[in-house]
Amino acid sequence: MIDKLVTEENITSNGFSNTNNLPPASSFPPPIKKKRNLPGTPGMYHTSNSYPEAEVIALSPKTLMATNRFMCEICGKGFQRDQNLQLHRRGHNLPWKLKQRTSKEVRKRVYVCPEKSCVHNHPSRALGDLTGIKKHFCRKHGEKKWKCAKCSKCYAVQSDWKAHSKTCGTREYKCDCGTIFSRRDSFITHRAFCDALAEETARVTAASHFNNVTPSGSVGNINYHFVGPPVLAGPTMAHHFSNSSSIFKPILTNPENHLDPTQQDGLSLWTSSNNNSNGNVNNNELRDLHQLGHQNHPSHSEYQPNWGVFGVKNTSDHDPNVSAPPSLLSTLNNLPQTHASASMSATALLQKAAQMGSTSSATTNHTSFLGSFGVNSSNNYNITTDTVATHVQDENKFCGLYGTSPMMNSYRGSELENDFSSLDEMYPPSKRRHIHVEEHHGGQTRDFLGVGIQPISHPRIRFDHV
Amino acid sequence: MERTTHLSPYTSHHQTTTKHHPYSDSGGTETCPDDDKWASKLLRECAQAISDKDSGKINHLLWMLNELSSPYGDCDQKLAYYFLQALFCKATESGQRCYKTLVSVADKSHCFDSARKLILKFQEVSPWTTFGHVASNGAILEAFDGETNLHIIDISNTLCTQWPTLLEALATRTDETPSLKLTVVVTAAMVRSVMKEITQRMEKFARLMGVPFTFNVINGSNKPLGKFTKEELGVQDDEAIAVNCIGALRRVEVEERGDVIRLFRSLNPRVVTIVEEEADFTSSRSDFVKCFDECLRYYTLYFEMLDESFTPTSNERLMLERECSRSIVRVLSCDDKHNIGYGDCERREKGNQWCERLNELFSHVGFSDDVVDDVKALLKRYRTGWSLAIDQTDPNSNSNSGSGILLAWKDEPVVWASSWKP
């Protein structure tokens, strides 16, 4: 039932205040949409096919919504249901003949929606159940008279409203930092400012969640009711996106390195993974991102935490990593968004990476890197030869922001797929990072692409010391 | 919709302006019982003495208040403490210096984390700010319906806590997510210092939501707000503009408020949302005692609200109270002519006063039923004591053609929200 609700709510959201008016045509599902059965009533949507001789009844809206469709011919009393009418007729002590129904077999009746523009108006899409068509008509074309007191969401069918009211407000929202909210609005606001925002967990359902999100016609009425597991923290598209944004984080900062996030390593990670960029195009961009992170894993396990961060985020605010990104990012955002000064081919980058010794910290470089990433200008990255964000589905918005995000899609490694499930462990305690530091001699931060390596001092960077 | 109810247990009166005992059944008030309202008595006496320039009495009362007051005590003690400070400054004409000191002290201990924590906690326990946010967002979204190129001019000091829910609504409301440009004009110094972090968070969040987003911060303390130009605000012709003004009009010097409204009008916005606290420190500027009375009334409400909303040991509440102390000193003991800085005025006006100003260039748009329902739903999520009232200036009109909606704490109107169009 919930599924059906989703669909229909989707469709009716635009017309929630309509009273039997035509909802905008665009809101209707195209006829090609696959037919779904109501759970519990198999074959309903195929009724006309199942009952080829079915009598197609087209009731007017008034008749449809009339509560007394079944009239007793003797006294004229109206009943909502045929069974009730029959029961009543018995009381009239009719002679046997008249007791029977009309002689002919009761034909299967299918009903069409009186709304002309509705898909169910056509006999081939008629519904076999009168109650069903009534509810359908109400939901899609009816006035939403029932309103949830808690969240102001409107319903046209009373039973829908009741069902919603039972669960409204019982849902809990959990932020990545561990705080739980019972109110969605405070959850959203918290999320926007939470430190944990910098490190998003990737949930596999994120993309699918967003697909299911119901556009709501009114403010504040978005109901996450339909979203699956309540553990989803907020708009999972958020996760979705933040995964991409958190790509920057590991590159930019490795707090344990205390101001020398080994950019070189970051870069080399990128560039080395460059070669493997012809990984399978994953439909789930999230997975890409995971793998992106994991890509780096084998060569630089110390980075795993950073990368893994957006794989899974179970660490809370106290994680030292957390504080770093905001400050860095803030500096990044402050700087003008310049494109990366060079568009380099993959080979050139590789060479550069190989040459890179210890270089200066490159916060500016971060910026330039980020700058090019920032808005729609990732065209500087000719890193990947092949992939563009082709598989990005309704991550179209994301794409819109980042143009083609070759970075994202190019690094698809298969090595760490299994790690995806164990991201918890992937976020290692700090000591691993320390190891990392030693190994790489604390190379200075550098421009991620190896461009514009300049010394930079950024007093604003604060790293929590591990 | 709802009218101010007179059946509520909270009120047995009709006047709201001079009351500082908003509820007469003292059974429900643990911290500020009625029979113990010594603070307001003393404070008023002192204010009167200052107005009368009765120095003997002034000293005596100041001394008494000093003995009895404490910023860590109950409501009365706190009010006594903070108002004492203002009275002292007034009596010694040291208001400006005191204010500057208070501001610099606050500045030093101020950072993004503390500010964020403060405002989020406040929003969690009290709808004081979220009321205005929900109403404004609702009005803005409705005014922007169908537009794709949105530009909101946000003149407020709420650290952009209003916008995440709006971004989320934009992201999920339609298939065609419009692009949003947000220009924030910041006047309060303390807010300015954290805007970098805010910028970063907002941009990230907008990315998360998948809303094409541009964020600009404008320093509003360099010159009077009314002197800004369309270009400086980054307003372009192809944009649908909304002006969102939360608690900001009161920070404009009284004489310049007309200029500001003219500026708004010149931007040709689809909607202007104004949210202000319901108190009048303006019309009584020249009458110290009257102004003092109103101040005391308003801040008593506020302190009591804080007291009942936060836990007793809450640090956030303490910080909010300290913020009040700066405002109180500013209003009561700083001569407006001194021009301490742009955007620091703090002289509030009531809804109907703002309406008079706005009616010249704008016409009021009532909040739609949906928005009102959203606000009601919001209030339900908080503790009891909060209610919604439609502005009573036009009692003959039906629910929403009044000039705004009011958030009421124990039936006392405290925050006023309205929306306007040219």
Side-chain angles (χ1 to χ4, degrees):
Chain A
M1 192 50 91
I2 295 285
D3 288 335
K4 191 171 193 322
L5 274 175
V6 173
T7 312
E8 294 179 341
E9 287 295 54
N10 269 329
I11 295 163
T12 46
S13 64
N14 289 334
F16 84 83
S17 59
N18 284 347
T19 55
N20 298 329
N21 290 336
L22 280 182
S26 59
S27 68
F28 284 103
I32 316 152
K33 188 162 179 155
K34 73 169 174 153
K35 295 178 184 177
R36 290 167 47 231
N37 294 335
L38 260 189
T41 59
M44 186 194 227
Y45 274 73
H46 303 269
T47 305
S48 349
N49 298 332
S50 318
Y51 300 92
E53 308 89 27
E55 185 185 355
V56 179
I57 314 267
L59 299 165
S60 75
K62 199 165 161 222
T63 326
L64 188 61
M65 299 314 298
T67 47
N68 300 337
R69 287 199 54 250
F70 299 92
M71 305 286 286
C72 172
E73 64 265 25
I74 302 181
C75 63
K77 194 160 176 198
F79 296 90
Q80 282 209 45
R81 279 163 160 189
D82 189 43
Q83 302 95 303
N84 299 350
L85 171 62
Q86 295 310 318
L87 223 69
H88 159 84
R89 282 175 83 234
R90 281 199 233 152
H92 284 304
N93 294 323
L94 300 162
W96 186 87
K97 263 194 193 163
L98 295 173
K99 256 196 205 169
Q100 305 296 85
R101 282 172 156 274
T102 48
S103 52
K104 60 180 179 210
E105 287 255 330
V106 177
R107 281 174 74 191
K108 171 70 184 172
R109 289 175 165 184
V110 296
Y111 304 89
V112 288
C113 179
E115 185 57 46
K116 288 190 190 57
S117 62
C118 181
V119 114
H120 291 289
N121 186 250
H122 195 271
S124 66
R125 293 295 308 273
L127 305 178
D129 183 53
L130 178 63
T131 321
I133 196 77
K134 272 171 144 177
K135 282 198 174 172
H136 154 84
F137 181 67
C138 254
R139 282 194 198 118
K140 277 206 205 157
H141 316 298
E143 180 192 351
K144 294 195 177 182
K145 292 183 284 205
W146 303 94
K147 191 156 187 177
C148 174
K150 290 183 204 155
C151 70
S152 299
K153 195 164 160 79
C154 299
Y155 294 91
V157 179
Q158 185 181 15
S159 53
D160 295 347
W161 169 77
K162 268 193 186 167
H164 164 83
S165 297
K166 277 193 195 154
T167 53
C168 184
T170 57
R171 188 189 179 85
E172 282 188 340
Y173 306 93
K174 182 162 185 276
C175 180
D176 291 331
C177 68
T179 329
I180 297 185
F181 297 85
S182 56
R183 275 169 35 208
R184 201 158 136 268
D185 51 350
S186 47
F187 168 63
I188 291 173
T189 315
H190 163 89
R191 204 106 199 301
F193 292 98
C194 183
D195 285 330
L197 190 69
E199 320 168 27
E200 277 301 321
T201 58
R203 315 254 182 191
V204 179
T205 48
S208 56
H209 159 73
F210 200 76
N211 289 332
N212 289 336
V213 165
T214 304
S216 167
S218 60
V219 176
N221 273 357
I222 296 109
N223 188 359
Y224 279 160
H225 204 59
F226 308 113
V227 178
V231 77
L232 283 173
T236 48
M237 185 61 139
H239 297 292
H240 194 73
F241 286 127
S242 59
N243 281 332
S244 36
S245 56
S246 58
I247 281 182
F248 308 142
K249 187 177 85 68
I251 294 165
L252 302 175
T253 157
N254 193 346
E256 279 65 26
N257 290 336
H258 299 307
L259 260 186
D260 26 82
T262 52
Q263 275 312 293
Q264 166 179 8
D265 302 308
L267 178 52
S268 52
L269 285 176
W270 279 108
T271 52
S272 61
S273 52
N274 233 340
N275 293 328
N276 315 336
S277 62
N278 358 320
N280 322 319
V281 176
N282 238 333
N283 273 341
N284 189 339
E285 182 170 280
L286 282 176
R287 276 194 85 78
D288 292 340
L289 297 178
H290 283 302
Q291 288 156 5
L292 178 52
H294 303 301
Q295 184 66 35
N296 305 314
H297 183 58
S299 38
H300 303 274
S301 57
E302 313 73 17
Y303 265 115
Q304 176 138 9
N306 286 332
W307 288 105
V309 153
F310 64 30
V312 129
K313 177 66 181 79
N314 277 327
T315 62
S316 52
D317 277 354
H318 57 257
D319 187 286
N321 267 334
V322 178
S323 58
S327 37
L328 259 190
L329 280 175
S330 68
T331 62
L332 291 164
N333 286 330
N334 289 336
L335 296 170
Q337 296 188 342
T338 55
H339 298 304
S341 42
S343 27
M344 306 181 97
S345 69
T347 357
L349 280 170
L350 268 176
Q351 286 169 351
K352 254 213 142 112
Q355 290 158 14
M356 280 187 201
S358 50
T359 54
S360 50
S361 89
T363 352
T364 4
N365 299 328
H366 293 202
T367 332
S368 59
F369 161 72
L370 252 204
S372 54
F373 250 169
V375 182
N376 295 331
S377 48
S378 41
N379 49 0
N380 290 319
Y381 293 97
N382 299 333
I383 300 171
T384 55
T385 49
D386 51 7
T387 52
V388 184
T390 48
H391 62 287
V392 179
Q393 308 163 328
D394 91 315
E395 296 78 67
N396 41 12
K397 289 176 185 157
F398 176 82
C399 271
L401 283 178
Y402 288 97
T404 61
S405 37
M407 300 284 297
M408 313 296 210
N409 309 320
S410 55
Y411 306 107
R412 242 159 272 123
S414 42
E415 292 111 315
L416 301 170
E417 231 152 308
N418 40 357
D419 283 326
F420 179 44
S421 54
S422 58
L423 286 169
D424 278 339
E425 297 103 56
M426 279 176 36
Y427 202 91
S430 41
K431 62 180 171 117
R432 287 177 77 178
R433 291 183 210 111
H434 278 305
I435 297 170
H436 172 57
V437 174
E438 286 142 34
E439 272 189 28
H440 302 278
H441 314 292
Q444 293 83 341
T445 58
R446 68 163 67 225
D447 177 42
F448 166 99
L449 285 183
V451 290
I453 302 165
Q454 304 128 13
I456 268 283
S457 64
H458 244 289
R460 292 189 69 103
I461 299 174
R462 305 186 309 266
F463 294 103
D464 277 352
H465 301 305
V466 177
Chain B
M1 303 271 171
E2 276 183 51
R3 298 266 167 190
T4 310
T5 171
H6 294 292
L7 300 174
S8 123
Y10 296 126
T11 178
S12 59
H13 65 96
H14 304 266
Q15 274 288 16
T16 60
T17 45
T18 55
K19 276 258 170 205
H20 54 276
H21 301 241
Y23 38 102
S24 56
D25 64 330
S26 40
T29 61
E30 319 86 26
T31 49
C32 309
D34 246 40
D35 44 318
D36 232 14
K37 291 273 187 188
W38 53 267
S40 65
K41 286 197 212 92
L42 282 178
L43 289 168
R44 277 165 208 269
E45 275 187 43
C46 192
Q48 188 63 56
I50 289 176
S51 176
D52 297 337
K53 298 202 198 308
D54 183 345
S55 47
K57 205 167 171 199
I58 293 173
N59 284 326
H60 174 64
L61 288 165
L62 285 178
W63 180 87
M64 272 183 74
L65 284 164
N66 192 37
E67 287 296 301
L68 297 169
S69 68
S70 161
Y72 307 112
D74 64 13
C75 259
D76 266 321
Q77 287 174 296
K78 284 184 209 170
L79 286 164
Y81 179 82
Y82 292 112
F83 274 92
L84 167 63
Q85 187 175 43
L87 286 170
F88 181 81
C89 289
K90 176 75 176 174
T92 55
E93 293 187 358
S94 56
Q96 186 153 349
R97 196 164 14 115
C98 178
Y99 180 75
K100 284 194 175 144
T101 313
L102 288 174
V103 166
S104 84
V105 162
D107 231 347
K108 286 191 176 57
S109 59
H110 182 84
C111 69
F112 172 70
D113 275 334
S114 70
R116 168 189 61 173
K117 202 161 161 235
L118 177 64
I119 196 163
L120 287 182
K121 186 72 187 168
F122 188 34
Q123 290 180 348
E124 204 183 297
V125 303
S126 164
W128 194 273
T129 50
T130 49
F131 166 80
H133 291 177
V134 168
S136 299
N137 282 347
I140 291 173
L141 281 167
E142 286 179 357
F144 272 165
D145 196 22
E147 297 288 340
T148 50
N149 216 353
L150 314 179
H151 186 178
I152 298 179
I153 316 274
D154 179 25
I155 310 171
S156 67
N157 291 303
T158 50
L159 301 182
C160 293
T161 47
Q162 177 175 356
W163 306 118
T165 38
L166 181 104
L167 280 168
E168 199 251 5
L170 283 178
T172 52
R173 67 162 181 175
T174 53
D175 297 320
E176 210 36 67
T177 302
S179 69
L180 174 66
K181 182 156 114 186
L182 184 61
T183 303
V184 179
V185 181
V186 176
T187 51
M190 276 170 268
V191 176
R192 278 205 311 280
S193 64
V194 301
M195 281 318 282
K196 274 200 175 102
E197 298 257 17
I198 307 264
T199 305
Q200 183 238 119
R201 302 284 166 121
M202 290 302 296
E203 285 174 347
K204 177 166 249 173
F205 188 76
R207 276 203 298 276
L208 240 61
M209 289 294 113
V211 178
F213 185 67
T214 325
F215 189 84
N216 295 318
V217 178
I218 293 185
N219 184 351
S221 65
N222 293 337
K223 60 179 184 179
L225 185 59
K227 298 271 189 303
F228 275 94
T229 63
K230 204 169 158 180
E231 292 70 33
E232 281 168 321
L233 295 174
V235 169
Q236 282 153 8
D237 291 326
D238 59 340
E239 294 167 341
I241 307 286
V243 178
N244 182 72
C245 205
I246 311 268
L249 279 182
R250 67 166 179 262
R251 293 182 204 261
V252 176
E253 294 295 333
V254 180
E255 303 78 23
E256 293 166 21
R257 290 175 184 178
D259 284 342
V260 171
I261 293 172
R262 271 184 283 280
L263 168 66
F264 291 170
R265 185 61 187 87
S266 74
L267 303 175
N268 207 20
R270 302 295 164 108
V271 66
V272 177
T273 49
I274 311 273
V275 176
E276 280 290 340
E277 288 165 358
E278 186 77 354
D280 178 13
F281 302 159
T282 304
S283 60
S284 52
R285 269 178 298 167
S286 47
D287 183 339
F288 178 70
V289 174
K290 203 160 161 225
C291 194
F292 185 88
D293 273 354
E294 173 69 358
C295 245
L296 186 56
R297 174 201 76 87
Y298 172 76
Y299 281 105
T300 305
L301 266 180
Y302 187 69
F303 271 64
E304 281 167 359
M305 182 275 299
L306 289 181
D307 198 54
E308 294 197 24
S309 305
F310 284 94
T311 58
T313 50
S314 161
N315 194 44
E316 283 83 24
R317 187 185 62 182
L318 194 62
M319 288 172 65
L320 287 169
E321 287 164 353
R322 286 198 190 127
E323 264 183 43
C324 290
S325 79
R326 300 193 286 276
S327 303
I328 295 171
V329 166
R330 181 77 174 83
V331 171
L332 290 178
S333 62
C334 291
D335 199 335
D336 284 329
K337 292 198 206 79
H338 278 147
N339 244 344
I340 293 176
Y342 298 109
D344 268 344
C345 181
E346 295 288 354
R347 283 205 181 269
R348 293 156 171 79
E349 287 183 31
K350 289 201 175 175
N352 45 351
Q353 291 168 282
W354 294 118
C355 281
E356 272 179 40
R357 292 184 186 273
L358 288 157
N359 269 323
E360 290 173 36
L361 294 169
F362 290 94
S363 61
H364 178 256
V365 176
F367 290 108
S368 74
D369 289 347
D370 287 322
V371 177
V372 174
D373 282 341
D374 280 342
V375 172
K376 284 187 189 166
L378 174 80
L379 295 187
K380 283 206 186 85
R381 298 180 211 140
Y382 289 97
R383 288 194 207 169
T384 55
W386 299 100
S387 58
L388 175 69
I390 309 300
D391 199 310
Q392 295 276 354
T393 48
D394 189 2
N396 296 327
S397 69
N398 59 7
S399 42
N400 263 319
S401 57
S403 356
I405 55 176
L406 285 162
L407 174 68
W409 165 250
K410 306 214 168 158
D411 284 330
E412 289 282 353
V414 287
V415 180
W416 173 77
S418 63
S419 95
W420 303 80
K421 65 172 195 277

